[in-house]
Amino acid sequence: MTFYLITYKKWNENESGMTEYVYCSVDAAADSAVVEDIAAHTEEDSFAVGSPAVGKQKSRLKEEEASLTISSKVLKTDEIISSSVQSEPWTVLAHKKPEKDWKAHNPKTMRPPPLPEGTKSVKIMTWNVNGLRALLKLESFSALQLAQRENFDVLCLQETKIQVKDVEEVKKALSDGYDHSFWSCSVSKLGYSGTAIISRIKPLSVRYGTGHSGSDHDIEGRIVTTEFDSFYLISTYVPNSGDGLKRLSYRIEEWDRTLSKYIKELEKTKPVVLTGDLNCAHEEIDIYNPAGNKRSAGFTIEERQSFRENFLDKGLVDTFRKQHPGVVGYTYWGYRHGTRKTNKGWRLDYFVVSESISANVS
């Protein structure tokens, strides 16, 4: 089984108030052109402001999402920027203290060749939507067009922010052929967090949370797991350590350890694909300004050590870093100070897989 792993997210709102959509691919050999013309739009509410993932307007830098951008250009409603430096800022090496052999990620030159025809594979797509109902209301967004264009087998969502009562209504907007959808909604705080898995393949089983009844991470809707014939798939939205690192202890002493144990239990029967925003820039190569963010949520020594000890040291593989050890490829840019245009970002979104299947990621 070969895995196509794809991330699809929204860029920051630009100065003119237009929000840009781009196609993004992580560790994937996309079959078609990576950019499609999804019309930009203006939106004055918090949904459309600030986050590369879906335009968050939040003061906490690391609580926003964005994807590793592997597109060949960015399309805007008013113009298409012709300069490759302007329209593809992620292809420009940006780092406060780069090592001499580092280089910027460039999907045009680094994408692996297409798989041979007939290769058994599964195409998994992940998207932090930061408010699914708001997204579905946009005239510029079409779930059908997205499904037809990307032809994914499974779609993982994070930060859906829907309530249990909204699920049936949201299901009506899904594309035909994706008959199996599973939703984990926050019950501790309404309109918060939330994850989902939408699939054209019927899973063998579904789990919500990690089985720790009453724990914060099982009542905040942060984990959905589906079991397929040869692997488990987890869609997760890892909690941010927050302003003043007020949730740091919870994050590293409870959440990371619990998730790690949960994955190891699953691995006793099948390998695991973990995807979503893991809210940690693991190494200095994964953040533009490491020295200036030592005590910022997402890059503290404690979080980075926990990420390594609870996941990587226990046999899980960061697929992007394995394939691109000296490549600077960010997945998040803040909406302040034009960091997107200058590619001053963070790599917070991952596909992390069991070592036994890591060679099968294309």
Side-chain angles (χ1 to χ4, degrees), residues 6-11 20-25 38 51-55 64-69 125-129 156 158 276-278 331 348-350:
I6 298 175
T7 299
Y8 189 96
K9 294 186 178 182
K10 191 173 72 177
W11 280 78
E20 304 158 345
Y21 281 86
V22 299
Y23 169 93
C24 311
S25 167
I38 303 178
S51 163
V54 280
E64 306 163 35
E65 266 62 43
S67 64
L68 175 64
T69 307
M125 184 171 178
T126 189
W127 190 4
N128 183 304
V129 293
C156 298
Q158 298 90 40
D277 175 7
L278 303 191
T331 70
L348 301 177
D349 302 288
Y350 295 75

PDB file of all heavy atoms in Angstrom, residues 6-11 20-25 38 51-55 64-69 125-129 156 158 276-278 331 348-350:
ATOM      1  N   ILE A   6      -1.800  14.571   1.591  1.00  0.00           N
ATOM      2  CA  ILE A   6      -2.038  15.906   1.040  1.00  0.00           C
ATOM      3  C   ILE A   6      -2.674  16.824   2.064  1.00  0.00           C
ATOM      4  O   ILE A   6      -3.586  16.440   2.783  1.00  0.00           O
ATOM      5  CB  ILE A   6      -2.955  15.813  -0.192  1.00  0.00           C
ATOM      6  CG1 ILE A   6      -2.268  14.981  -1.274  1.00  0.00           C
ATOM      7  CG2 ILE A   6      -3.301  17.193  -0.718  1.00  0.00           C
ATOM      8  CD1 ILE A   6      -3.134  14.732  -2.465  1.00  0.00           C
ATOM      9  N   THR A   7      -2.197  18.059   2.108  1.00  0.00           N
ATOM     10  CA  THR A   7      -2.780  19.070   2.979  1.00  0.00           C
ATOM     11  C   THR A   7      -3.401  20.167   2.130  1.00  0.00           C
ATOM     12  O   THR A   7      -2.814  20.611   1.162  1.00  0.00           O
ATOM     13  CB  THR A   7      -1.701  19.696   3.891  1.00  0.00           C
ATOM     14  OG1 THR A   7      -1.134  18.674   4.696  1.00  0.00           O
ATOM     15  CG2 THR A   7      -2.311  20.762   4.789  1.00  0.00           C
ATOM     16  N   TYR A   8      -4.593  20.611   2.519  1.00  0.00           N
ATOM     17  CA  TYR A   8      -5.270  21.681   1.777  1.00  0.00           C
ATOM     18  C   TYR A   8      -5.721  22.723   2.773  1.00  0.00           C
ATOM     19  O   TYR A   8      -6.506  22.433   3.672  1.00  0.00           O
ATOM     20  CB  TYR A   8      -6.481  21.113   1.046  1.00  0.00           C
ATOM     21  CG  TYR A   8      -7.124  22.068   0.081  1.00  0.00           C
ATOM     22  CD1 TYR A   8      -6.797  22.028  -1.266  1.00  0.00           C
ATOM     23  CD2 TYR A   8      -8.045  23.015   0.503  1.00  0.00           C
ATOM     24  CE1 TYR A   8      -7.371  22.890  -2.168  1.00  0.00           C
ATOM     25  CE2 TYR A   8      -8.624  23.887  -0.385  1.00  0.00           C
ATOM     26  CZ  TYR A   8      -8.292  23.818  -1.720  1.00  0.00           C
ATOM     27  OH  TYR A   8      -8.873  24.687  -2.602  1.00  0.00           O
ATOM     28  N   LYS A   9      -5.215  23.944   2.612  1.00  0.00           N
ATOM     29  CA  LYS A   9      -5.559  24.980   3.577  1.00  0.00           C
ATOM     30  C   LYS A   9      -5.616  26.344   2.932  1.00  0.00           C
ATOM     31  O   LYS A   9      -5.249  26.507   1.776  1.00  0.00           O
ATOM     32  CB  LYS A   9      -4.582  24.987   4.748  1.00  0.00           C
ATOM     33  CG  LYS A   9      -4.684  23.721   5.585  1.00  0.00           C
ATOM     34  CD  LYS A   9      -3.824  23.793   6.806  1.00  0.00           C
ATOM     35  CE  LYS A   9      -3.989  22.524   7.626  1.00  0.00           C
ATOM     36  NZ  LYS A   9      -3.192  22.572   8.851  1.00  0.00           N
ATOM     37  N   LYS A  10      -6.053  27.322   3.702  1.00  0.00           N
ATOM     38  CA  LYS A  10      -6.221  28.667   3.179  1.00  0.00           C
ATOM     39  C   LYS A  10      -5.150  29.603   3.692  1.00  0.00           C
ATOM     40  O   LYS A  10      -4.741  29.538   4.832  1.00  0.00           O
ATOM     41  CB  LYS A  10      -7.600  29.209   3.556  1.00  0.00           C
ATOM     42  CG  LYS A  10      -7.957  30.490   2.844  1.00  0.00           C
ATOM     43  CD  LYS A  10      -9.389  30.893   3.107  1.00  0.00           C
ATOM     44  CE  LYS A  10      -9.585  31.391   4.500  1.00  0.00           C
ATOM     45  NZ  LYS A  10     -10.951  31.847   4.733  1.00  0.00           N
ATOM     46  N   TRP A  11      -4.742  30.500   2.812  1.00  0.00           N
ATOM     47  CA  TRP A  11      -3.710  31.470   3.159  1.00  0.00           C
ATOM     48  C   TRP A  11      -4.256  32.602   4.000  1.00  0.00           C
ATOM     49  O   TRP A  11      -5.450  32.748   4.204  1.00  0.00           O
ATOM     50  CB  TRP A  11      -3.127  32.064   1.885  1.00  0.00           C
ATOM     51  CG  TRP A  11      -2.130  31.188   1.259  1.00  0.00           C
ATOM     52  CD1 TRP A  11      -2.375  30.084   0.499  1.00  0.00           C
ATOM     53  CD2 TRP A  11      -0.725  31.316   1.334  1.00  0.00           C
ATOM     54  NE1 TRP A  11      -1.208  29.532   0.097  1.00  0.00           N
ATOM     55  CE2 TRP A  11      -0.179  30.252   0.581  1.00  0.00           C
ATOM     56  CE3 TRP A  11       0.129  32.214   1.951  1.00  0.00           C
ATOM     57  CZ2 TRP A  11       1.194  30.090   0.433  1.00  0.00           C
ATOM     58  CZ3 TRP A  11       1.479  32.045   1.792  1.00  0.00           C
ATOM     59  CH2 TRP A  11       2.003  30.989   1.046  1.00  0.00           C
ATOM     60  N   GLU A  20      -6.943  34.222  -0.128  1.00  0.00           N
ATOM     61  CA  GLU A  20      -6.480  33.372  -1.210  1.00  0.00           C
ATOM     62  C   GLU A  20      -6.539  31.901  -0.808  1.00  0.00           C
ATOM     63  O   GLU A  20      -6.175  31.537   0.296  1.00  0.00           O
ATOM     64  CB  GLU A  20      -5.035  33.727  -1.559  1.00  0.00           C
ATOM     65  CG  GLU A  20      -4.841  35.181  -1.903  1.00  0.00           C
ATOM     66  CD  GLU A  20      -3.416  35.620  -1.734  1.00  0.00           C
ATOM     67  OE1 GLU A  20      -2.640  34.889  -1.090  1.00  0.00           O
ATOM     68  OE2 GLU A  20      -3.101  36.690  -2.222  1.00  0.00           O
ATOM     69  N   TYR A  21      -6.987  31.071  -1.724  1.00  0.00           N
ATOM     70  CA  TYR A  21      -6.948  29.634  -1.518  1.00  0.00           C
ATOM     71  C   TYR A  21      -5.851  29.054  -2.397  1.00  0.00           C
ATOM     72  O   TYR A  21      -5.673  29.470  -3.533  1.00  0.00           O
ATOM     73  CB  TYR A  21      -8.261  28.987  -1.932  1.00  0.00           C
ATOM     74  CG  TYR A  21      -9.360  29.121  -0.925  1.00  0.00           C
ATOM     75  CD1 TYR A  21     -10.176  30.239  -0.904  1.00  0.00           C
ATOM     76  CD2 TYR A  21      -9.574  28.125   0.010  1.00  0.00           C
ATOM     77  CE1 TYR A  21     -11.193  30.364   0.022  1.00  0.00           C
ATOM     78  CE2 TYR A  21     -10.594  28.247   0.935  1.00  0.00           C
ATOM     79  CZ  TYR A  21     -11.402  29.358   0.938  1.00  0.00           C
ATOM     80  OH  TYR A  21     -12.409  29.477   1.859  1.00  0.00           O
ATOM     81  N   VAL A  22      -5.130  28.094  -1.867  1.00  0.00           N
ATOM     82  CA  VAL A  22      -4.146  27.411  -2.682  1.00  0.00           C
ATOM     83  C   VAL A  22      -4.231  25.920  -2.406  1.00  0.00           C
ATOM     84  O   VAL A  22      -4.732  25.487  -1.377  1.00  0.00           O
ATOM     85  CB  VAL A  22      -2.708  27.879  -2.386  1.00  0.00           C
ATOM     86  CG1 VAL A  22      -2.556  29.349  -2.679  1.00  0.00           C
ATOM     87  CG2 VAL A  22      -2.306  27.583  -0.963  1.00  0.00           C
ATOM     88  N   TYR A  23      -3.767  25.160  -3.361  1.00  0.00           N
ATOM     89  CA  TYR A  23      -3.658  23.720  -3.187  1.00  0.00           C
ATOM     90  C   TYR A  23      -2.317  23.432  -2.544  1.00  0.00           C
ATOM     91  O   TYR A  23      -1.309  23.992  -2.960  1.00  0.00           O
ATOM     92  CB  TYR A  23      -3.743  23.034  -4.543  1.00  0.00           C
ATOM     93  CG  TYR A  23      -3.380  21.568  -4.526  1.00  0.00           C
ATOM     94  CD1 TYR A  23      -4.355  20.601  -4.362  1.00  0.00           C
ATOM     95  CD2 TYR A  23      -2.064  21.175  -4.672  1.00  0.00           C
ATOM     96  CE1 TYR A  23      -4.016  19.265  -4.356  1.00  0.00           C
ATOM     97  CE2 TYR A  23      -1.732  19.843  -4.667  1.00  0.00           C
ATOM     98  CZ  TYR A  23      -2.705  18.891  -4.502  1.00  0.00           C
ATOM     99  OH  TYR A  23      -2.365  17.571  -4.492  1.00  0.00           O
ATOM    100  N   CYS A  24      -2.283  22.575  -1.549  1.00  0.00           N
ATOM    101  CA  CYS A  24      -1.042  22.254  -0.869  1.00  0.00           C
ATOM    102  C   CYS A  24      -0.882  20.757  -0.768  1.00  0.00           C
ATOM    103  O   CYS A  24      -1.837  20.034  -0.526  1.00  0.00           O
ATOM    104  CB  CYS A  24      -1.031  22.845   0.536  1.00  0.00           C
ATOM    105  SG  CYS A  24      -1.503  24.566   0.568  1.00  0.00           S
ATOM    106  N   SER A  25       0.320  20.286  -0.952  1.00  0.00           N
ATOM    107  CA  SER A  25       0.569  18.852  -0.935  1.00  0.00           C
ATOM    108  C   SER A  25       1.768  18.539  -0.074  1.00  0.00           C
ATOM    109  O   SER A  25       2.802  19.171  -0.216  1.00  0.00           O
ATOM    110  CB  SER A  25       0.821  18.360  -2.357  1.00  0.00           C
ATOM    111  OG  SER A  25       1.335  17.071  -2.355  1.00  0.00           O
ATOM    112  N   ILE A  38      -9.621  28.553  -7.345  1.00  0.00           N
ATOM    113  CA  ILE A  38     -10.701  28.677  -6.382  1.00  0.00           C
ATOM    114  C   ILE A  38     -10.819  30.152  -6.073  1.00  0.00           C
ATOM    115  O   ILE A  38      -9.894  30.764  -5.561  1.00  0.00           O
ATOM    116  CB  ILE A  38     -10.402  27.897  -5.096  1.00  0.00           C
ATOM    117  CG1 ILE A  38     -10.141  26.434  -5.452  1.00  0.00           C
ATOM    118  CG2 ILE A  38     -11.550  28.004  -4.115  1.00  0.00           C
ATOM    119  CD1 ILE A  38      -9.780  25.601  -4.259  1.00  0.00           C
ATOM    120  N   SER A  51      -5.451  33.408   9.607  1.00  0.00           N
ATOM    121  CA  SER A  51      -4.709  32.168   9.564  1.00  0.00           C
ATOM    122  C   SER A  51      -4.498  31.677   8.163  1.00  0.00           C
ATOM    123  O   SER A  51      -5.376  31.746   7.347  1.00  0.00           O
ATOM    124  CB  SER A  51      -5.456  31.094  10.341  1.00  0.00           C
ATOM    125  OG  SER A  51      -4.959  29.837   9.988  1.00  0.00           O
ATOM    126  N   PRO A  52      -3.310  31.133   7.883  1.00  0.00           N
ATOM    127  CA  PRO A  52      -3.073  30.534   6.588  1.00  0.00           C
ATOM    128  C   PRO A  52      -3.991  29.353   6.384  1.00  0.00           C
ATOM    129  O   PRO A  52      -4.319  29.013   5.268  1.00  0.00           O
ATOM    130  CB  PRO A  52      -1.626  30.073   6.653  1.00  0.00           C
ATOM    131  CG  PRO A  52      -1.032  30.811   7.799  1.00  0.00           C
ATOM    132  CD  PRO A  52      -2.148  31.113   8.733  1.00  0.00           C
ATOM    133  N   ALA A  53      -4.378  28.690   7.448  1.00  0.00           N
ATOM    134  CA  ALA A  53      -5.257  27.540   7.295  1.00  0.00           C
ATOM    135  C   ALA A  53      -6.645  27.989   6.913  1.00  0.00           C
ATOM    136  O   ALA A  53      -7.227  27.495   5.977  1.00  0.00           O
ATOM    137  CB  ALA A  53      -5.309  26.747   8.595  1.00  0.00           C
ATOM    138  N   VAL A  54      -7.195  28.914   7.633  1.00  0.00           N
ATOM    139  CA  VAL A  54      -8.517  29.402   7.311  1.00  0.00           C
ATOM    140  C   VAL A  54      -8.731  30.803   7.801  1.00  0.00           C
ATOM    141  O   VAL A  54      -9.851  31.238   7.984  1.00  0.00           O
ATOM    142  CB  VAL A  54      -9.583  28.490   7.924  1.00  0.00           C
ATOM    143  CG1 VAL A  54      -9.784  27.272   7.090  1.00  0.00           C
ATOM    144  CG2 VAL A  54      -9.236  28.148   9.324  1.00  0.00           C
ATOM    145  N   GLY A  55      -7.716  31.509   8.035  1.00  0.00           N
ATOM    146  CA  GLY A  55      -7.835  32.897   8.382  1.00  0.00           C
ATOM    147  C   GLY A  55      -8.225  33.170   9.798  1.00  0.00           C
ATOM    148  O   GLY A  55      -9.181  33.864  10.071  1.00  0.00           O
ATOM    149  N   GLU A  64      -2.678  29.384  15.208  1.00  0.00           N
ATOM    150  CA  GLU A  64      -3.156  29.480  13.844  1.00  0.00           C
ATOM    151  C   GLU A  64      -2.557  28.360  13.005  1.00  0.00           C
ATOM    152  O   GLU A  64      -1.506  27.865  13.282  1.00  0.00           O
ATOM    153  CB  GLU A  64      -2.784  30.838  13.245  1.00  0.00           C
ATOM    154  CG  GLU A  64      -3.256  31.991  14.088  1.00  0.00           C
ATOM    155  CD  GLU A  64      -2.541  33.267  13.708  1.00  0.00           C
ATOM    156  OE1 GLU A  64      -2.259  33.444  12.523  1.00  0.00           O
ATOM    157  OE2 GLU A  64      -2.264  34.041  14.614  1.00  0.00           O
ATOM    158  N   GLU A  65      -3.248  28.014  11.944  1.00  0.00           N
ATOM    159  CA  GLU A  65      -2.812  26.940  11.076  1.00  0.00           C
ATOM    160  C   GLU A  65      -2.412  27.427   9.693  1.00  0.00           C
ATOM    161  O   GLU A  65      -2.914  28.397   9.208  1.00  0.00           O
ATOM    162  CB  GLU A  65      -3.935  25.936  10.883  1.00  0.00           C
ATOM    163  CG  GLU A  65      -3.882  24.802  11.843  1.00  0.00           C
ATOM    164  CD  GLU A  65      -4.034  25.274  13.247  1.00  0.00           C
ATOM    165  OE1 GLU A  65      -4.850  26.112  13.529  1.00  0.00           O
ATOM    166  OE2 GLU A  65      -3.299  24.777  14.082  1.00  0.00           O
ATOM    167  N   ALA A  66      -1.514  26.670   9.064  1.00  0.00           N
ATOM    168  CA  ALA A  66      -1.257  26.860   7.649  1.00  0.00           C
ATOM    169  C   ALA A  66      -0.648  25.600   7.112  1.00  0.00           C
ATOM    170  O   ALA A  66      -0.246  24.751   7.858  1.00  0.00           O
ATOM    171  CB  ALA A  66      -0.313  28.014   7.415  1.00  0.00           C
ATOM    172  N   SER A  67      -0.580  25.481   5.817  1.00  0.00           N
ATOM    173  CA  SER A  67      -0.082  24.252   5.265  1.00  0.00           C
ATOM    174  C   SER A  67       1.254  24.448   4.591  1.00  0.00           C
ATOM    175  O   SER A  67       1.624  25.539   4.216  1.00  0.00           O
ATOM    176  CB  SER A  67      -1.053  23.730   4.226  1.00  0.00           C
ATOM    177  OG  SER A  67      -1.108  24.647   3.191  1.00  0.00           O
ATOM    178  N   LEU A  68       1.952  23.339   4.425  1.00  0.00           N
ATOM    179  CA  LEU A  68       3.156  23.363   3.618  1.00  0.00           C
ATOM    180  C   LEU A  68       2.699  23.547   2.178  1.00  0.00           C
ATOM    181  O   LEU A  68       2.004  22.729   1.628  1.00  0.00           O
ATOM    182  CB  LEU A  68       3.912  22.045   3.747  1.00  0.00           C
ATOM    183  CG  LEU A  68       5.124  21.935   2.849  1.00  0.00           C
ATOM    184  CD1 LEU A  68       6.145  22.978   3.255  1.00  0.00           C
ATOM    185  CD2 LEU A  68       5.709  20.564   2.934  1.00  0.00           C
ATOM    186  N   THR A  69       3.093  24.640   1.571  1.00  0.00           N
ATOM    187  CA  THR A  69       2.540  24.982   0.282  1.00  0.00           C
ATOM    188  C   THR A  69       3.371  24.400  -0.831  1.00  0.00           C
ATOM    189  O   THR A  69       4.525  24.689  -0.951  1.00  0.00           O
ATOM    190  CB  THR A  69       2.477  26.494   0.142  1.00  0.00           C
ATOM    191  OG1 THR A  69       1.779  26.986   1.261  1.00  0.00           O
ATOM    192  CG2 THR A  69       1.780  26.902  -1.117  1.00  0.00           C
ATOM    193  N   MET A 125      -6.129  13.208   2.444  1.00  0.00           N
ATOM    194  CA  MET A 125      -6.047  14.659   2.417  1.00  0.00           C
ATOM    195  C   MET A 125      -6.449  15.196   3.778  1.00  0.00           C
ATOM    196  O   MET A 125      -7.366  14.680   4.410  1.00  0.00           O
ATOM    197  CB  MET A 125      -6.989  15.196   1.334  1.00  0.00           C
ATOM    198  CG  MET A 125      -6.949  16.670   1.116  1.00  0.00           C
ATOM    199  SD  MET A 125      -7.922  17.075  -0.364  1.00  0.00           S
ATOM    200  CE  MET A 125      -7.773  18.844  -0.352  1.00  0.00           C
ATOM    201  N   THR A 126      -5.747  16.222   4.253  1.00  0.00           N
ATOM    202  CA  THR A 126      -6.067  16.802   5.554  1.00  0.00           C
ATOM    203  C   THR A 126      -6.207  18.306   5.426  1.00  0.00           C
ATOM    204  O   THR A 126      -5.497  18.941   4.646  1.00  0.00           O
ATOM    205  CB  THR A 126      -5.005  16.427   6.603  1.00  0.00           C
ATOM    206  OG1 THR A 126      -5.444  16.823   7.899  1.00  0.00           O
ATOM    207  CG2 THR A 126      -3.676  17.081   6.307  1.00  0.00           C
ATOM    208  N   TRP A 127      -7.127  18.884   6.202  1.00  0.00           N
ATOM    209  CA  TRP A 127      -7.412  20.317   6.079  1.00  0.00           C
ATOM    210  C   TRP A 127      -7.901  20.859   7.415  1.00  0.00           C
ATOM    211  O   TRP A 127      -8.876  20.374   7.968  1.00  0.00           O
ATOM    212  CB  TRP A 127      -8.490  20.530   5.011  1.00  0.00           C
ATOM    213  CG  TRP A 127      -8.708  21.961   4.612  1.00  0.00           C
ATOM    214  CD1 TRP A 127      -8.014  23.050   5.023  1.00  0.00           C
ATOM    215  CD2 TRP A 127      -9.706  22.456   3.703  1.00  0.00           C
ATOM    216  NE1 TRP A 127      -8.498  24.196   4.427  1.00  0.00           N
ATOM    217  CE2 TRP A 127      -9.537  23.852   3.615  1.00  0.00           C
ATOM    218  CE3 TRP A 127     -10.709  21.847   2.966  1.00  0.00           C
ATOM    219  CZ2 TRP A 127     -10.350  24.651   2.820  1.00  0.00           C
ATOM    220  CZ3 TRP A 127     -11.515  22.641   2.167  1.00  0.00           C
ATOM    221  CH2 TRP A 127     -11.332  24.023   2.093  1.00  0.00           C
ATOM    222  N   ASN A 128      -7.216  21.863   7.920  1.00  0.00           N
ATOM    223  CA  ASN A 128      -7.700  22.583   9.090  1.00  0.00           C
ATOM    224  C   ASN A 128      -8.633  23.679   8.583  1.00  0.00           C
ATOM    225  O   ASN A 128      -8.189  24.655   7.987  1.00  0.00           O
ATOM    226  CB  ASN A 128      -6.537  23.197   9.872  1.00  0.00           C
ATOM    227  CG  ASN A 128      -7.004  23.887  11.131  1.00  0.00           C
ATOM    228  OD1 ASN A 128      -7.843  24.775  11.075  1.00  0.00           O
ATOM    229  ND2 ASN A 128      -6.456  23.484  12.263  1.00  0.00           N
ATOM    230  N   VAL A 129      -9.925  23.531   8.814  1.00  0.00           N
ATOM    231  CA  VAL A 129     -10.906  24.436   8.215  1.00  0.00           C
ATOM    232  C   VAL A 129     -11.306  25.589   9.127  1.00  0.00           C
ATOM    233  O   VAL A 129     -11.936  26.537   8.690  1.00  0.00           O
ATOM    234  CB  VAL A 129     -12.176  23.665   7.789  1.00  0.00           C
ATOM    235  CG1 VAL A 129     -11.868  22.731   6.649  1.00  0.00           C
ATOM    236  CG2 VAL A 129     -12.783  22.913   8.965  1.00  0.00           C
ATOM    237  N   CYS A 156      -9.358  14.289   6.071  1.00  0.00           N
ATOM    238  CA  CYS A 156      -9.313  14.530   7.511  1.00  0.00           C
ATOM    239  C   CYS A 156      -9.478  16.030   7.759  1.00  0.00           C
ATOM    240  O   CYS A 156      -8.820  16.842   7.099  1.00  0.00           O
ATOM    241  CB  CYS A 156      -7.974  14.063   8.094  1.00  0.00           C
ATOM    242  SG  CYS A 156      -7.662  12.299   7.918  1.00  0.00           S
ATOM    243  N   GLN A 158      -9.727  19.285  10.705  1.00  0.00           N
ATOM    244  CA  GLN A 158      -9.467  19.731  12.071  1.00  0.00           C
ATOM    245  C   GLN A 158     -10.110  21.099  12.276  1.00  0.00           C
ATOM    246  O   GLN A 158     -10.328  21.838  11.331  1.00  0.00           O
ATOM    247  CB  GLN A 158      -7.968  19.833  12.349  1.00  0.00           C
ATOM    248  CG  GLN A 158      -7.210  18.523  12.237  1.00  0.00           C
ATOM    249  CD  GLN A 158      -6.700  18.277  10.835  1.00  0.00           C
ATOM    250  OE1 GLN A 158      -6.238  19.186  10.159  1.00  0.00           O
ATOM    251  NE2 GLN A 158      -6.790  17.030  10.387  1.00  0.00           N
ATOM    252  N   GLY A 276      -2.493  15.941  11.039  1.00  0.00           N
ATOM    253  CA  GLY A 276      -3.142  17.099  11.631  1.00  0.00           C
ATOM    254  C   GLY A 276      -2.122  18.126  12.086  1.00  0.00           C
ATOM    255  O   GLY A 276      -0.931  18.055  11.758  1.00  0.00           O
ATOM    256  N   ASP A 277      -2.611  19.086  12.846  1.00  0.00           N
ATOM    257  CA  ASP A 277      -1.740  20.114  13.419  1.00  0.00           C
ATOM    258  C   ASP A 277      -1.220  19.604  14.751  1.00  0.00           C
ATOM    259  O   ASP A 277      -1.963  19.497  15.720  1.00  0.00           O
ATOM    260  CB  ASP A 277      -2.539  21.401  13.612  1.00  0.00           C
ATOM    261  CG  ASP A 277      -1.749  22.481  14.317  1.00  0.00           C
ATOM    262  OD1 ASP A 277      -0.536  22.288  14.541  1.00  0.00           O
ATOM    263  OD2 ASP A 277      -2.342  23.512  14.664  1.00  0.00           O
ATOM    264  N   LEU A 278       0.061  19.299  14.804  1.00  0.00           N
ATOM    265  CA  LEU A 278       0.666  18.768  16.017  1.00  0.00           C
ATOM    266  C   LEU A 278       1.254  19.868  16.889  1.00  0.00           C
ATOM    267  O   LEU A 278       1.813  19.599  17.948  1.00  0.00           O
ATOM    268  CB  LEU A 278       1.735  17.729  15.671  1.00  0.00           C
ATOM    269  CG  LEU A 278       1.250  16.553  14.814  1.00  0.00           C
ATOM    270  CD1 LEU A 278       2.315  15.464  14.753  1.00  0.00           C
ATOM    271  CD2 LEU A 278      -0.076  15.993  15.299  1.00  0.00           C
ATOM    272  N   THR A 331       4.760  25.321   7.382  1.00  0.00           N
ATOM    273  CA  THR A 331       3.336  25.050   7.200  1.00  0.00           C
ATOM    274  C   THR A 331       2.455  26.090   7.866  1.00  0.00           C
ATOM    275  O   THR A 331       1.240  25.968   7.867  1.00  0.00           O
ATOM    276  CB  THR A 331       2.965  23.669   7.786  1.00  0.00           C
ATOM    277  OG1 THR A 331       3.036  23.730   9.217  1.00  0.00           O
ATOM    278  CG2 THR A 331       3.873  22.579   7.266  1.00  0.00           C
ATOM    279  N   LEU A 348       4.287  23.229  11.556  1.00  0.00           N
ATOM    280  CA  LEU A 348       3.494  22.698  12.662  1.00  0.00           C
ATOM    281  C   LEU A 348       2.608  21.532  12.253  1.00  0.00           C
ATOM    282  O   LEU A 348       2.120  20.797  13.094  1.00  0.00           O
ATOM    283  CB  LEU A 348       2.605  23.809  13.247  1.00  0.00           C
ATOM    284  CG  LEU A 348       3.319  25.045  13.791  1.00  0.00           C
ATOM    285  CD1 LEU A 348       2.285  26.070  14.268  1.00  0.00           C
ATOM    286  CD2 LEU A 348       4.269  24.691  14.918  1.00  0.00           C
ATOM    287  N   ASP A 349       2.353  21.387  10.965  1.00  0.00           N
ATOM    288  CA  ASP A 349       1.450  20.342  10.468  1.00  0.00           C
ATOM    289  C   ASP A 349       2.249  19.165   9.930  1.00  0.00           C
ATOM    290  O   ASP A 349       3.231  19.357   9.203  1.00  0.00           O
ATOM    291  CB  ASP A 349       0.559  20.911   9.368  1.00  0.00           C
ATOM    292  CG  ASP A 349      -0.250  22.097   9.862  1.00  0.00           C
ATOM    293  OD1 ASP A 349      -1.176  21.860  10.644  1.00  0.00           O
ATOM    294  OD2 ASP A 349       0.065  23.249   9.479  1.00  0.00           O
ATOM    295  N   TYR A 350       1.819  17.979  10.267  1.00  0.00           N
ATOM    296  CA  TYR A 350       2.617  16.794   9.967  1.00  0.00           C
ATOM    297  C   TYR A 350       1.765  15.636   9.454  1.00  0.00           C
ATOM    298  O   TYR A 350       0.569  15.557   9.715  1.00  0.00           O
ATOM    299  CB  TYR A 350       3.304  16.273  11.239  1.00  0.00           C
ATOM    300  CG  TYR A 350       4.327  17.177  11.864  1.00  0.00           C
ATOM    301  CD1 TYR A 350       3.951  18.310  12.580  1.00  0.00           C
ATOM    302  CD2 TYR A 350       5.687  16.876  11.785  1.00  0.00           C
ATOM    303  CE1 TYR A 350       4.897  19.128  13.183  1.00  0.00           C
ATOM    304  CE2 TYR A 350       6.644  17.693  12.391  1.00  0.00           C
ATOM    305  CZ  TYR A 350       6.241  18.819  13.089  1.00  0.00           C
ATOM    306  OH  TYR A 350       7.171  19.623  13.696  1.00  0.00           O
TER     307      TYR A 350
END
